[in-house]
Amino acid sequence: MADVAWVIRRESSRYIPSLCENRPMRIDTAELRKGLSKTRRFVLAHHLPSEFYRCYSPSVFGHRVHICARCLGIYPGIAMGFLSYGIMFRGTDALFAVALLPVPSFVDWAVTTFRDRRGYNIVRTVTGALLGSGYGLGLALLLFESSLTVLGIGLVYGIIAFSSILSSW
């Protein structure tokens, strides 16, 4: 086993010289600061300023912070969905829930993206929580039951969303 590790290290040294040297990799802090200054506004909200109406915008320490309304529901929803595995949903009921929980979020997203409607942040948050519950439950099914049907459900949603975006151009 040690021989294999040595060969991997020797071969990879052609591409990554710092693996062979006994010195730590250095981080270009100026480049890091430059990158963070350009992207920090997207940490809590991935929307452009023209779409900040899709965000909650509280003031924190005198600074306006934008938090994506749907994501605010998704992350707690993932935890709820994961924890609900085995308690609320079992077998085909769980797969049925994974398939249906994202529907309200997808409909709300489609209506507010492709029509001249702005929608409401509370609706985004609630539908995000349902979407997150579907994600969390699907993750639990993948981890604990190795249910590949969950991947098929996700693929179907991905194809529908991708084709919706393409058809709107």
Side-chain angles (χ1 to χ4, degrees), residues 49-115:
S50 62
E51 294 181 327
F52 278 165
Y53 65 90
R54 295 177 183 227
C55 300
Y56 295 109
S57 301
S59 183
V60 179
F61 300 115
H63 295 284
R64 178 80 42 199
V65 178
H66 302 284
I67 303 168
C68 176
R70 191 170 328 271
C71 292
L72 190 64
I74 288 175
Y75 297 118
I78 291 172
M80 288 186 314
F82 192 82
L83 294 174
S84 72
Y85 170 76
I87 297 170
M88 294 176 56
F89 300 104
R90 296 185 189 275
T92 53
D93 289 344
L95 285 173
F96 193 64
V98 168
L100 290 183
L101 284 170
V103 170
S105 184
F106 182 77
V107 169
D108 180 58
W109 169 78
V111 167
T112 58
T113 300
F114 302 120
R115 303 219 186 245

Side-chain angles (χ1 to χ4, degrees), residues 88-162:
M88 294 176 56
F89 300 104
R90 296 185 189 275
T92 53
D93 289 344
L95 285 173
F96 193 64
V98 168
L100 290 183
L101 284 170
V103 170
S105 184
F106 182 77
V107 169
D108 180 58
W109 169 78
V111 167
T112 58
T113 300
F114 302 120
R115 303 219 186 245
D116 193 25
R117 287 188 49 144
R118 290 177 68 122
Y120 299 98
N121 282 342
I122 190 67
V123 174
R124 289 185 188 95
T125 303
V126 170
T127 60
L130 294 172
L131 174 64
S133 294
Y135 287 170
L137 185 57
L139 179 64
L141 286 171
L142 277 172
L143 291 175
F144 302 130
E145 294 183 15
S146 302
S147 176
L148 296 180
T149 307
V150 172
L151 296 178
I153 292 168
L155 183 64
V156 168
Y157 273 109
I159 290 169
I160 292 170
F162 184 72

